[in-house]
Amino acid sequence: MFIAYAAVAGLLALVLAASATFTLQRNETIVASMRKVQVPDSWLPRLAILKAAGAIGLVAGLWVTPLGVAAAAGVTLYFIGAIISHLRVRDFELAPAAVLTLVAAAALVLRMAA
């Protein structure tokens, strides 16, 4: 189970780190998506920090189990929030958020089982 967690958490951490970087750089695709779901521009740095913290926590969770569990739970909740944000404005292009929610939930289950 640990190897599975390491693989899932590592890939998810890479995605989160890239997303945090693009958000901080105000990548036009990211900004357009955030505006579409009515996220204020002032929230972008905070959301990027949450993604970066999730990535760091998932990697640190390889050595500190409770931290990995907390990070995976936090990332899962983050992406559930993203899905809710899309549904709230009736934007049904939520496949990326849904997939990342499932991957984060898988990391959570795998870390608790390892």
Side-chain angles (χ1 to χ4, degrees):
M1 286 296 170
F2 178 79
I3 293 172
Y5 169 75
V8 171
L11 291 173
L12 183 56
L14 285 174
V15 170
L16 289 170
S19 181
T21 302
F22 290 143
T23 302
L24 285 173
Q25 293 174 343
R26 299 203 183 255
N27 175 280
E28 196 53 46
T29 304
I30 301 287
V31 171
S33 177
M34 295 287 193
R35 285 187 182 140
K36 192 175 189 180
V37 296
Q38 300 174 353
V39 172
D41 285 346
S42 64
W43 287 19
L44 294 180
R46 292 178 194 108
L47 295 174
I49 289 168
L50 288 173
K51 292 179 208 177
I56 292 167
L58 288 168
V59 173
L62 293 169
W63 293 276
V64 183
T65 301
L67 187 55
V69 170
V75 172
T76 302
L77 291 173
Y78 178 94
F79 285 110
I80 288 171
I83 291 170
I84 291 168
S85 294
H86 281 273
L87 294 175
R88 183 178 53 85
V89 297
R90 293 187 171 90
D91 175 25
F92 299 108
E93 295 179 26
L94 46 88
V99 168
L100 289 170
T101 302
L102 293 174
V103 173
L108 176 60
V109 169
L110 288 168
R111 192 59 190 128
M112 289 190 320

